[in-house]
């Protein structure tokens, strides 16, 4: 029998509300509406299918505060992660959001009405405290803290939802199961003990050996349940990963394993995330859950240290083991023994016995350079998929974002770079000059800080689409604000695939020189008040904090600058 859901009852809201879904759909047309973000969409899907049981909506203030402070809902139920719906003051005023009001929640992909939320309360959270308590530090090196700072609005809306329809997916439909469906599957196959394995990375032979070993030790079957919602920026895209998982499932003993996708937006919250993952897998019917070393860790903080200790996640899951009612299986680091052609837990290998390992860094190097990947490390079918999606570096796209004052020389540098890269050949080269983008993509935008931010988001989106297809993209907006430049970078890293190679070039030509040589007279117009929001005159230009290259056209010629940028690309094996 599948494990009991967290809280005792599986909150399958889609099934609950099916009899009234048509009535809800009709009502949705007359209600104020919120178009969800990608993360909110993931959260809503797991709320309505019961993956986040016992939640029935987005957290109100009482639940939110208790979760942040004590890892518990207001009623005392263990739940470590705040699940919130953020809105701005403009949203509140424009949509007349207040306790008791009803809002339609729409899918950002196709604008379909998914649910109606009845507002319980509105509250302004302490987001710094949230960062410290949930993620361990208010450090923007943590991807979720960066997300909290830059993308989450200042108010949260709490309330329960009624379901019009679940989000529709067009990819890997046969691998997408709700908790109810997966529990039915386990029951049909008489799987009484199920070990769940969480991953957001490609799987290789060591992962297969680890999960098979765990299944045999616990006389159980294996559920491979990878995350296909938001993961860490720069992760392998989910299409590639799912093809890898499909290939590796063929290597499991017949009938041992099952693959099911999880539309989760990860927070990379380490120990708290491990407890959260355990609850989710319990809701999907698993009886055992593998918790890894540094489970869901985001890497290094701003001081170059790990955000979490290697066993913090296992310790926190152990602390709540009795309440979780899902048995933790500690991840065992596996190593290859060439003498016997097998994998063994590293702590069980006798001293002096030769072992072989390939780190993630080394694997990426081999993929980048086309170096061989031995069959003892991964299966041919897996390597083939990875090589298809991640070509060698000299075939990958990249983005050069040149930022500087008007008339700093960035446009001349960008045009010269385009010529030099076209001369080299091997990939298409796209040029996104500031004025061109303004005319073609952002003609309706002003030069306010908010509209400059939107303009850079659009540049980031176009650049990501081009570089994912292997193009070299040279973008040369003024981009005066750090937040806008960072937004463009995040979009490219998140959506650029193997071409998510981003380089910020600061054209640091002094303002007085830019103004003195301005043949168009724009600086003079700005000084007379005829132009507002002009960078360097009545809008501050924020100096980039961490550019890959800083250049100055008063000290270097354009050919010298272009050559230095080409050397940067050469050092990165991109040419």
């Amino acid at each position: 029998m599948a494990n009991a859901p967290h809280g005792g009852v599986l909150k399958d809201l889609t099934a609950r509300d099916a009899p009234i879904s048509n009535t809800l759909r009709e009502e949705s047309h007359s209600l104020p509406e919120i178009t969800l973000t990608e993360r909110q969409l993931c959260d809503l899907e797991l709320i309505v299918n019961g993956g986040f049981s016992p939640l029935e909506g987005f957290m109100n203030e009482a639940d939110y505060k208790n979760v942040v402070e004590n890892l518990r809902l207001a009623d005392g139920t263990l739940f470590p992660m705040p699940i919130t719906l953020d809105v701005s003051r403009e949203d509140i005023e424009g949509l007349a959001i207040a306790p008791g009001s009803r809002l339609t929640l729409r899918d950002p992909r196709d604008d379909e009405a998914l649910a109606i939320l009845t507002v319980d309360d509105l509250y302004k959270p302490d987001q710094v405290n949230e960062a410290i308590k949930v993620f361990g530090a208010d450090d923007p090196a943590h991807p979720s803290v960066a997300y909290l700072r830059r993308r989450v609005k200042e108010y949260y809306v709490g309330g329960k939802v009624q379901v019009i329809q679940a989000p529709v997916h067009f990819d890997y439909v046969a691998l997408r199961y709700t908790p109810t469906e997966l529990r039915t599957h386990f029951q049909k196959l008489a799987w009484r003990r199920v070990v769940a394995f969480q991953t957001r990375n490609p799987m290789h032979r060591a992962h297969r050996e680890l999960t098979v070993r765990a299944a045999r030790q616990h006389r159980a079957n294996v559920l491979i349940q990878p995350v296909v919602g938001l993961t860490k920026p720069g992760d392998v895209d989910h299409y590639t990963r799912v093809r890898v998982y499909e290939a590796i499932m063929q290597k499991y003993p017949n009938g041992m394993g099952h693959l099911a996708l999880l539309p989760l937006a990860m927070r990379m919250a380490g120990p708290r995330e491990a407890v959260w993952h355990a609850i989710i897998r319990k809701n999907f019917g698993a009886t055992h859950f593998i918790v890894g070393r540094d489970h869901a860790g985001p890497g290094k903080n701003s001081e170059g240290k790990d955000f979490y200790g290697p066993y913090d996640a296992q310790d926190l899951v152990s602390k709540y083991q009795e309440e979780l009612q899902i048995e933790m299986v500690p991840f065992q680091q596996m190593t290859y023994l060439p003498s016997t052609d097998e994998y063994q837990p590293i702590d069980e290998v006798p001293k002096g016995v030769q072992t072989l390992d390939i780190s993630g860094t080394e694997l990426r190097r081999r993929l980048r350079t086309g170096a061989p990947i031995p069959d003892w490390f991964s299966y041919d079918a897996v390597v083939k998929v990875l090589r298809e999606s991640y070509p060698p570096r000299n075939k990958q796209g990249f983005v050069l974002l040149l930022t500087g004052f008007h008339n700093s020389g960035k446009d001349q540098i960008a045009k010269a770079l385009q010529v030099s890269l076209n001369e080299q050949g091997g990939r298409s080269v796209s040029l996104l000059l500031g004025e061109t983008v303004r005319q073609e993509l952002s003609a309706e935008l002003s030069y306010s800080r908010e509209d400059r931010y939107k303009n850079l988001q659009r540049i980031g989106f176009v650049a990501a689409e081009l570089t994912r297809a292997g193009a070299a993209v040279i973008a040369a907006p003024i981009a005066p604000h750090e937040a806008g430049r960072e937004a463009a970078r995040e979009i490219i890293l998140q959506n650029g695939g193997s071409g998510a190679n981003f380089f910020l070039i600061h054209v640091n030509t002094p303002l007085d020189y830019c103004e003195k040589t301005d043949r168009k007279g724009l600086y003079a117009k700005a000084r007379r008040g005829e132009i507002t929001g002009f960078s360097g005159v009545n809008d501050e230009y924020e100096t980039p904090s961490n550019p890959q290259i800083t250049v100055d056209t008063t000290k270097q010629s354009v050919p010298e600058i272009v050559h230095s940028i080409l050397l940067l690309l050469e050092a990165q094996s991109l040419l």
Side-chain angles (χ1 to χ4, degrees), residues 509-568:
T509 304
L511 176 61
D512 59 352
Y513 180 84
C514 297
E515 187 167 356
K516 183 174 65 175
T517 59
D518 177 23
R519 294 172 55 232
K520 293 184 177 180
L522 297 182
Y523 284 99
K525 290 182 178 180
R527 300 244 179 241
R528 293 195 299 267
E530 297 173 21
I531 300 175
T532 59
F534 197 86
S535 299
V537 177
N538 43 37
D539 181 58
E540 179 187 4
Y541 180 89
E542 299 172 0
T543 302
S545 58
N546 194 28
Q548 274 68 47
I549 289 184
T550 299
V551 299
D552 181 345
T553 57
T554 65
K555 298 176 181 178
Q556 302 160 275
S557 68
V558 170
E560 288 173 335
I561 292 171
V562 168
H563 186 65
S564 68
I565 295 171
L566 293 178
L567 288 177
L568 169 66

Side-chain angles (χ1 to χ4, degrees), residues 122-135:
L122 275 165
Y123 55 101
K124 189 169 186 178
D126 182 343
Q127 292 179 338
V128 171
N129 184 60
E130 180 180 335
I132 293 170
K133 293 291 176 60
V134 176
F135 306 114

Side-chain angles (χ1 to χ4, degrees), residues 197 199 202-215 222 224 244 248 251-252 290 330-337 341-346 356-360 363 373-379 382:
F197 181 63
T199 182
M203 290 176 65
H204 301 287
R205 187 172 165 186
H207 302 101
R208 184 264 186 198
E209 298 300 325
L210 160 73
T211 50
V212 167
R213 186 182 181 90
V222 176
I224 305 299
V244 165
I248 208 165
K251 305 299 181 180
Y252 278 83
I290 296 173
F331 183 99
Q332 293 178 294
Q333 185 175 349
M334 308 294 285
T335 188
Y336 178 68
L337 280 61
D341 187 29
E342 64 178 347
Y343 276 83
Q344 290 287 343
I346 196 166
L356 296 175
D357 294 287
I358 292 180
S359 67
L363 173 63
I373 297 170
D375 57 7
W376 61 259
F377 175 78
S378 197
Y379 299 102
V382 169

